[in-house]
């Protein structure tokens, strides 16, 4: 049986377990990778994403919040492409895709695409553009759960 190693943690400060053949870089190597322009794609979670592609990934100072930004700001500043994978709404039903982020920004205009449980959404000049809806999910259902105007596949309002 695998046991969790207290010295190995996730970005959320939770203990993690390395599986066979897992690899992770030394701190200095990870910064060399980022600052050397070698990162093509970054995939991460988000608390909020604005229609302009701004990313809010950091602590909200809530008692149970993740305590620090960590390397997220370095990742999104260095990556050529940034994808966000998140639930479409918070546990309370509030929109995570909004006109303007109310949480502290981790990156300005950095998000290219968002994948949620409801849809794949691109960030374009006009704002959020539906790329693909999840099976059985309507455009209207997604719009009702989004805090900004959604556009159809052609970039025109739907």
């Amino acid at each position: 049986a695998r046991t969790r190693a207290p010295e190995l943690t996730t970005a959320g400060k939770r203990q993690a377990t390395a599986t066979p053949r897992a690899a992770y870089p030394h701190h200095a190597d990870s910064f060399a990778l980022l600052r050397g322009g070698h990162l093509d794609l970054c995939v991460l979670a988000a608390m909020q994403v604005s229609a302009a592609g701004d990313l809010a990934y950091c602590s909200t100072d809530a008692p149970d919040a993740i305590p620090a930004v960590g390397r997220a700001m370095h990742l999104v500043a260095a990556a050529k492409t940034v994808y966000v994978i998140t639930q479409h709404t918070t546990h309370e039903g509030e929109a995570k895709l909004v006109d303007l982020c109310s949480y502290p920004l981790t990156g300005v205009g950095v998000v290219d695409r968002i994948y949620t449980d409801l849809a794949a959404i691109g960030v374009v000049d006009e704002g959020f553009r539906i790329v693909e809806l999840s099976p059985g999910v309507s455009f209207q259902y997604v719009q009702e759960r989004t805090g900004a105007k959604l556009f159809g596949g052609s970039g025109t309002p739907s």
Side-chain angles (χ1 to χ4, degrees):
R2 293 183 198 134
T3 58
R4 296 192 184 277
E7 68 278 0
L8 185 60
T9 59
T10 68
K13 309 263 189 227
R14 294 191 176 120
Q15 288 184 347
T17 301
T19 59
R21 293 187 279 177
Y24 38 93
H26 181 274
H27 184 79
D29 294 333
S30 67
F31 276 102
L33 174 77
L34 295 174
R35 294 180 179 162
H38 306 291
L39 190 60
D40 293 326
L41 175 66
C42 173
V43 180
L44 73 166
M47 291 180 150
Q48 290 178 327
V49 178
S50 80
D54 301 333
L55 172 68
Y57 181 78
C58 36
S59 175
T60 62
D61 294 328
D64 60 347
I66 296 169
V69 175
R71 289 197 195 138
M73 68 175 78
H74 295 287
L75 289 167
V76 300
K80 295 175 181 107
T81 303
V82 176
Y83 291 166
V84 166
I85 298 178
T86 188
Q87 294 292 314
H88 204 86
T89 60
T90 66
H91 294 296
E92 294 79 25
E94 295 178 29
K96 286 186 163 190
L97 281 60
V98 294
D99 279 321
L100 298 170
C101 294
S102 59
Y103 296 139
L105 295 183
T106 302
V108 175
V110 296
V111 177
D112 296 290
R113 185 161 291 179
I114 307 149
Y115 295 92
T116 77
D117 50 321
L118 303 180
I121 300 166
V123 179
V124 296
D125 290 340
E126 296 85 6
F128 294 128
R129 181 178 60 83
I130 294 285
V131 174
E132 184 176 357
L133 293 168
S134 295
V137 175
S138 71
F139 179 91
Q140 186 61 34
Y141 186 83
V142 177
Q143 180 63 77
E144 290 168 357
R145 286 151 183 80
T146 304
K149 181 78 175 160
L150 289 175
F151 295 88
S154 65
T156 58
S158 295

